Amino acid sequence: MGLLYNIFVAFFSSIGSFLFGYDSGIIASVITMPRYAHHFTDNPGIKGAVVSTFNGGCFFGALGASWINDKLGRKRSIQIGTIWALWGCAMQTGAHNVATLIVGRVVAGVAIGILSMTVPLYNTEVAPPQIRGFLVGVTQQMLGIGFIVANWVGYGCQFIDGDASWRIPLGLQMVPAFLLLVGVQFLPNSPRWLLEVGRDEEAKQVVYKLHGSTPQAKEDADREYHEMYQTIKAEALVRSRSFRDLWATPAMLRRTLVACGVQVFGQFSGINVINYFGPQMYAGLGITGGRALLVQGIYGAIGPIANLFFIIFILDRVGRKKPLMFGAASFVVTFSILAATVASFPPPPPDAPPDFPVNVTGQRAGIAMIFLTSIFFSLSFGPVSWVLASEVFPTSTRSIGTSVATCSNWAFNVLISQVSPLGMTNTGWKFYLVFVALNAADFVLITLFFPETKGKSLEEMAEVFGDNVDAKKVLDEHNAHEKESQDEKIDDA
């Protein structure tokens, strides 16, 4: 089936990322709706809790996803995530008090934690190395599309009179969850996981299916399967499932720091401040009400367009490191200008009359910086963070390593989502200077310590990090030991 089948698998499995993007985007609209505020509360601390408790659930979902992935495989893990999503989204939709809403957010967060760890891991393990950046980058693409849909659903639903204005957008989360629950059953298992659990012939057939039916494709499939088989079987002989393996050697420690670092630095980009609290940021520029939701809807369409261009034409050509350096440097510039704009052109006071003069030039400059931040994120950390975090680990620790890296993402996501509304309310433009400093530090760390991994197969990553496992030697020693044991049993008999 070849390339088209690979693309289909990547896009369909990434419905889990669409759900991630929709949930992140829809809550930014819902918490600004008048009917939501009337039913619950407009308190900034409660708003932050509604967002951050979801992210806390994501942390624990990602943490437990490692065990589920190793025991049940990638497909079953995705299905378990969708079941949690249906449960949590149903609770949110029918919530009559803040407690029920928050519990529903936590449960849905567990679902997104499982999916946010498993989907890029699955796509990494089924993708050929030449286009792995593109296929894993689809994760970010679908996340962005989910965000677009959420913003426009939120914008349209604000005109509904009654609680349906916020219940409908929350309830729509169940549609992609159900579609993925049913449809993922028809996708192939990860061939690398199949080899781990001893289903070797099934793994070989999956590799053939992913490569296609031409003679050259079959030859490539045989070569990839042989390399995959030797490395995974060798790693299986020496593997353990301890977290300590992630820092057991200098090379493994570097892998772990790179994977966790790229996820944390993605949060330091400040993108989720815009995603979760964009309307509040626009209020700081004097844009409120329906206009803020409209701008947020337009903002949501910018990133996915840039991301699609990047993953198709750039990511697998220029690699991982240069885009990350570009992203960190660009965020220093955009947040510096945004801080200066808000400081120079403060918004009208809350009791200002409708005809109060507003600096339109300042508004446009601030919106431009917010939009540019989204574009630059989609050309750097957006897709690269998911690719790099899931491709640097060997098979023996890939599941647990990807889990820890994703947990790092969600831990800092919780922090930023909780403090951001308070920070913007209490410190105004000075809050943006935090991201100027963080991204300046990120640029230095990426330049000095991050490796380049483009074009490498997952089994070749050992060479990049300097912990090369001689798979043939390990297997030969194991087979020799097994033969000696069998000979001894024959002699004893």
Side-chain angles (χ1 to χ4, degrees):
M1 294 185 179
L3 178 61
L4 291 178
Y5 184 65
N6 276 274
I7 294 174
F8 169 77
V9 169
F11 269 96
F12 194 90
S13 64
S14 294
I15 291 176
S17 298
F18 175 92
L19 180 60
F20 174 11
Y22 182 89
D23 196 297
S24 300
I26 201 61
I27 201 64
S29 299
V30 164
I31 61 179
T32 65
M33 293 179 178
R35 293 296 304 184
Y36 168 88
H38 175 75
H39 194 95
F40 296 109
T41 177
D42 202 28
N43 183 286
I46 297 297
K47 283 185 178 180
V50 168
V51 175
S52 63
T53 51
F54 168 81
N55 295 333
C58 292
F59 175 87
F60 289 104
L63 187 64
S66 170
W67 183 88
I68 299 172
N69 271 273
D70 282 337
K71 291 294 184 182
L72 303 178
R74 316 321 183 205
K75 285 173 55 176
R76 292 290 177 267
S77 298
I78 290 174
Q79 287 181 313
I80 290 172
T82 59
I83 291 170
W84 277 78
L86 290 169
W87 177 20
C89 296
M91 290 187 68
Q92 294 175 58
T93 306
H96 286 282
N97 52 57
V98 172
T100 304
L101 178 66
I102 288 179
V103 172
R105 295 285 293 167
V106 172
V107 172
V110 171
I112 298 302
I114 295 171
L115 294 173
S116 66
M117 178 264 180
T118 306
V119 170
L121 173 64
Y122 173 75
N123 285 341
T124 295
E125 292 189 340
V126 300
Q130 297 83 2
I131 57 169
R132 188 171 59 245
F134 165 62
L135 293 182
V136 183
V138 167
T139 299
Q140 181 65 28
Q141 184 65 29
M142 292 294 281
L143 192 158
I145 293 173
F147 194 77
I148 293 175
V149 173
N151 285 335
W152 287 106
V153 168
Y155 176 72
C157 287
Q158 70 170 319
F159 299 107
I160 298 176
D161 185 20
D163 286 348
S165 63
W166 59 269
R167 292 192 190 276
I168 289 176
L170 290 178
L172 288 175
Q173 297 173 95
M174 292 184 280
V175 175
F178 179 77
L179 180 63
L180 186 59
L181 172 65
V182 176
V184 74
Q185 181 63 33
F186 301 99
L187 299 185
N189 276 301
S190 161
R192 290 173 169 86
W193 177 77
L194 290 171
L195 283 171
E196 280 190 88
V197 297
R199 294 158 63 177
D200 300 353
E201 184 58 33
E202 189 177 344
K204 180 184 289 188
Q205 295 307 314
V206 170
V207 174
Y208 286 155
K209 191 173 184 179
L210 291 169
H211 274 268
S213 57
T214 66
Q216 181 61 47
K218 187 176 185 304
E219 183 179 329
D220 293 341
D222 285 331
R223 183 170 56 251
E224 182 180 0
Y225 177 78
H226 178 71
E227 179 185 13
M228 193 186 301
Y229 178 91
Q230 281 204 323
T231 302
I232 291 173
K233 293 299 183 182
E235 290 174 347
L237 297 174
V238 297
R239 76 175 297 174
S240 75
R241 302 188 186 277
S242 171
F243 282 100
R244 289 177 295 180
D245 289 346
L246 297 179
W247 55 84
T249 66
M252 277 304 304
L253 178 61
R254 187 185 181 200
R255 292 175 188 263
T256 303
L257 290 177
V258 167
C260 294
V262 74
Q263 291 284 342
V264 172
F265 296 168
Q267 292 300 316
F268 288 171
S269 70
I271 193 66
N272 278 331
V273 179
I274 306 173
N275 291 344
Y276 296 148
F277 306 107
Q280 186 171 343
M281 295 180 71
Y282 302 134
L285 295 167
I287 304 170
T288 58
R291 289 183 62 212
L293 291 180
L294 178 60
V295 173
Q296 184 78 346
I298 299 171
Y299 156 84
I302 299 297
I305 295 173
N307 183 83
L308 184 61
F309 172 82
F310 179 69
I311 64 176
I312 292 177
F313 299 108
I314 299 177
L315 179 54
D316 285 309
R317 290 180 172 84
V318 303
R320 319 317 190 212
K321 185 172 181 176
K322 290 179 182 177
L324 293 176
M325 293 169 60
F326 165 77
S330 67
F331 301 141
V332 171
V333 175
T334 56
F335 275 102
S336 295
I337 297 176
L338 181 60
T341 300
V342 178
S344 302
F345 308 107
D351 56 350
D355 58 348
F356 189 90
V358 176
N359 191 295
V360 177
T361 302
Q363 284 186 349
R364 291 174 178 172
I367 291 173
M369 290 304 104
I370 292 173
F371 279 31
L372 282 175
T373 299
S374 175
I375 293 173
F376 294 149
F377 181 79
S378 298
L379 299 177
S380 57
F381 286 93
V384 175
S385 62
W386 299 112
V387 176
L388 191 60
S390 58
E391 73 181 0
V392 298
F393 292 105
T395 302
S396 58
T397 57
R398 185 171 298 123
S399 180
I400 193 171
T402 306
S403 175
V404 169
T406 309
C407 284
S408 301
N409 179 312
W410 289 114
F412 281 87
N413 200 320
V414 171
L415 174 65
I416 289 173
S417 62
Q418 184 63 47
V419 305
S420 291
L422 300 175
M424 287 187 288
T425 300
N426 297 328
T427 65
W429 62 269
K430 296 177 184 177
F431 181 68
Y432 301 134
L433 298 180
V434 172
F435 297 99
V436 174
L438 289 174
N439 283 288
D442 295 348
F443 178 84
V444 174
L445 293 173
I446 292 167
T447 303
L448 295 178
F449 300 112
F450 275 44
E452 183 52 70
T453 59
K454 73 167 182 176
K456 299 288 185 180
S457 71
L458 298 182
E459 288 67 41
E460 290 172 337
M461 289 297 168
E463 300 174 11
V464 175
F465 289 91
D467 60 349
N468 190 34
V469 176
D470 190 338
K472 187 176 185 304
K473 181 179 178 181
V474 172
L475 283 176
D476 288 345
E477 290 177 352
H478 174 72
N479 292 335
H481 178 72
E482 288 291 310
K483 187 176 185 302
E484 288 178 7
S485 299
Q486 291 177 0
D487 291 343
E488 289 176 1
K489 290 179 181 178
I490 293 173
D491 292 341
D492 291 342

